[in-house]
Amino acid sequence: MEQCACVERELDKVLQKFLTYGQHCEQSLEELLHYVGQLRAELASAALQGTPLSATLSLVMSQCCRKIKDTVQKLASDHKDIHSSVSRVGKAIDRNFDSEICGVVSDAVWDSREKQQQILQMAIVEHLYQQGMLSVAEELCQESTLDVDLDFKQPFLELNRILEALHEQDLGPALEWAVSHRQHLLELNSSLEFKLHRLHFIRLLAGGPEKQLEALSYARHFQPFARLHQREIQVMMGSLVYLRLGLEKSPYCHLLDSSHWEEICETFTRDACSLLGLSVESPLSVSFASGCVALPVLMNIKAVIEQRQCTGVWSHKDELPIEIELGMKCWYHSVFACPILRQQTSDSNPPIKLICGHVISRDALNKLINGGKLKCPYCPMEQNPADGKRIIF
Ligand SMILES: [Zn+2]
């Protein structure tokens, strides 16, 4: 943290300089413009009168030219001065952070350089699509000659189109999407469609008494959700009583809260992503955040491994030498550790459920087979090893 603060201090200095420079620049240019404008007016009036250029005026003009030149030169040299502050930031970064972090793991852990580059580019492109920066993503695809097919892009394009409309408080595209995916959304226990209808209804309520009939007729959209959202529907119906007085002065004023719009964007992103099989957060930002937590630990481990001269400890490609706690946010899958071998199960050594219901890893099962029979280490029921079933979490 201290290192970050050091760099930030240098950064603040640069920003402050930029700010002062910007203000100074604007002021001098404005003064200059004003001066030139005045001179121009004088010249124009002289031209209108048809008088030849007086000696004074030509002197003023040459003075003006010199002034312009001087000001521009001064601004350019001031700008150059900022460069030294910018380079100080770079030096502060070099001084405070380790520049060589690739060495944390041995090269054998990674795929080939081309493959790495391709994976990284793909992750960046996906991140850009997810963040709605479509044109930047396209540009990167072109420059890196990455071939992203339309099927990959399509869901992101659609999500962004709908989200943009929602940010503009246009419910149309989102409602259309929710209605066409109604069945799947219900299976996900999603209340997206109801929330969208509710927002439309609230917007009608905000329109005052003249929208009452329209609101009432729109209320029929709530019918499919009557069982699940009974209470919320009752609240909305209750609010109709206050339509004439104005909803904002009623006990129902919370319905007009702008937070509903933020909430709908979140609900839409979450539910649409899970329906389309996309992660809500981009894999790149999750990896980056995890890397920030894991790297310092890995660097310490590397130092310890080198000190004790036991470089062979870290040989697995898909496993770190120690467990690194990334916090609950990064718990995506359940894990199962074999109670016999005390090892975490993996694709090559999956958990197997025996017919008695006890679960052990396949390696443990293979070790326990005796004369073609298996005796459960827990209950101890005798069974055919082939009857065990693989469990997928
Ligand atoms: Zn058993």
Side-chain angles (χ1 to χ4, degrees):
M1 250 1 253
E2 205 184 305
Q3 286 94 332
C4 288
C6 268
V7 176
E8 216 168 345
R9 269 199 296 277
E10 291 295 335
L11 211 57
D12 280 343
K13 278 188 208 160
V14 176
L15 288 176
Q16 189 53 43
K17 274 199 180 164
F18 259 119
L19 198 70
T20 344
Y21 175 75
Q23 284 164 348
H24 171 68
C25 196
E26 209 165 300
Q27 200 187 347
S28 353
L29 286 178
E30 241 162 53
E31 274 171 22
L32 207 57
L33 268 175
H34 183 68
Y35 184 58
V36 173
Q38 265 179 342
L39 190 61
R40 196 177 154 195
E42 260 175 65
L43 279 172
S45 75
L48 266 180
Q49 284 161 12
T51 47
L53 202 62
S54 70
T56 342
L57 213 51
S58 83
L59 187 70
V60 174
M61 248 173 78
S62 64
Q63 265 174 357
C64 175
C65 288
R66 200 172 317 127
K67 197 171 173 181
I68 293 176
K69 215 170 156 188
D70 287 350
T71 315
V72 173
Q73 245 164 17
K74 171 96 176 54
L75 287 179
S77 82
D78 283 354
H79 191 261
K80 237 180 235 162
D81 285 347
I82 302 182
H83 286 216
S84 65
S85 308
V86 174
S87 76
R88 265 206 291 279
V89 175
K91 281 184 197 136
I93 293 175
D94 288 345
R95 208 173 41 244
N96 287 291
F97 296 95
D98 292 292
S99 55
E100 188 48 45
I101 45 171
C102 309
V104 151
V105 285
S106 70
D107 273 347
V109 173
W110 307 110
D111 293 312
S112 69
R113 193 159 277 276
E114 296 77 50
K115 180 98 179 142
Q116 273 180 47
Q117 198 171 6
Q118 208 184 2
I119 292 174
L120 182 64
Q121 280 165 353
M122 198 59 211
I124 297 175
V125 167
E126 187 177 341
H127 177 80
L128 292 171
Y129 274 125
Q130 191 141 13
Q131 301 294 311
M133 296 183 228
L134 308 180
S135 56
V136 190
E138 295 287 333
E139 191 73 34
L140 179 61
C141 284
Q142 264 177 18
E143 284 181 13
S144 59
T145 60
L146 204 65
D147 192 20
V148 179
D149 75 63
L150 197 64
D151 286 350
F152 174 81
K153 286 190 258 186
Q154 202 52 45
F156 295 109
L157 300 182
E158 194 176 15
L159 284 190
N160 276 304
R161 181 180 60 86
I162 298 172
L163 265 177
E164 260 171 35
L166 277 181
H167 285 302
E168 303 279 311
Q169 306 211 337
D170 174 8
L171 291 166
L175 260 171
E176 208 177 295
W177 187 89
V179 171
S180 65
H181 292 87
R182 183 179 286 163
Q183 198 48 42
H184 288 119
L185 284 170
L186 284 177
E187 282 163 18
L188 282 177
N189 248 344
S190 156
S191 49
L192 177 68
E193 193 188 339
F194 169 73
K195 283 183 175 170
L196 287 166
H197 284 308
R198 187 173 70 160
L199 264 179
H200 188 93
F201 183 82
I202 292 173
R203 188 188 274 162
L204 289 175
L205 292 184
E210 57 266 35
K211 291 276 182 186
Q212 187 173 11
L213 268 181
E214 205 180 323
L216 270 173
S217 97
Y218 194 80
R220 72 189 156 79
H221 285 102
F222 296 136
Q223 204 251 327
F225 309 99
R227 201 170 49 82
L228 273 173
H229 298 281
Q230 191 188 13
R231 175 94 190 99
E232 285 138 300
I233 296 172
Q234 280 170 350
V235 169
M236 278 186 283
M237 293 303 126
S239 69
L240 282 169
V241 178
Y242 288 89
L243 210 54
R244 227 159 264 286
L245 273 170
L247 219 54
E248 56 281 0
K249 283 172 262 149
S250 76
Y252 293 94
C253 59
H254 61 88
L255 288 179
L256 300 173
D257 210 57
S258 65
S259 64
H260 291 301
W261 285 98
E262 288 154 30
E263 192 194 320
I264 200 73
C265 290
E266 276 170 32
T267 313
F268 174 76
T269 313
R270 195 190 56 228
D271 292 354
C273 280
S274 100
L275 200 143
L276 296 168
L278 303 170
S279 55
V280 175
E281 272 185 77
S282 92
L284 184 66
S285 48
V286 173
S287 315
F288 182 78
S290 311
C292 290
V293 178
L295 265 179
V297 187
L298 289 178
M299 285 167 92
N300 286 342
I301 284 292
K302 187 182 177 245
V304 172
I305 290 179
E306 276 172 2
Q307 226 172 37
R308 306 249 165 109
Q309 294 175 345
C310 45
T311 33
V313 212
W314 192 353
S315 54
H316 288 288
K317 242 186 137 168
D318 54 354
E319 217 173 66
L320 296 176
I322 48 154
E323 206 174 296
I324 295 172
E325 189 63 64
L326 293 177
M328 278 292 275
K329 227 180 125 211
C330 291
W331 287 12
Y332 295 104
H333 307 283
S334 306
V335 289
F336 179 78
C338 171
I340 306 297
L341 296 178
R342 307 209 174 273
Q343 264 177 359
Q344 194 170 314
T345 49
S346 61
D347 274 343
S348 55
N349 177 27
I352 307 285
K353 189 175 101 144
L354 307 178
I355 47 168
C356 53
H358 290 116
V359 183
I360 57 176
S361 69
R362 181 177 284 159
D363 282 356
L365 182 139
N366 290 337
K367 281 195 175 123
L368 289 168
I369 298 175
N370 194 351
K373 288 258 169 224
L374 172 78
K375 207 170 172 190
C376 171
Y378 284 96
C379 52
M381 187 194 276
E382 220 172 63
Q383 51 202 291
N384 181 355
D387 288 343
K389 283 202 169 63
R390 181 179 175 175
I391 291 186
I392 292 169
F393 287 102

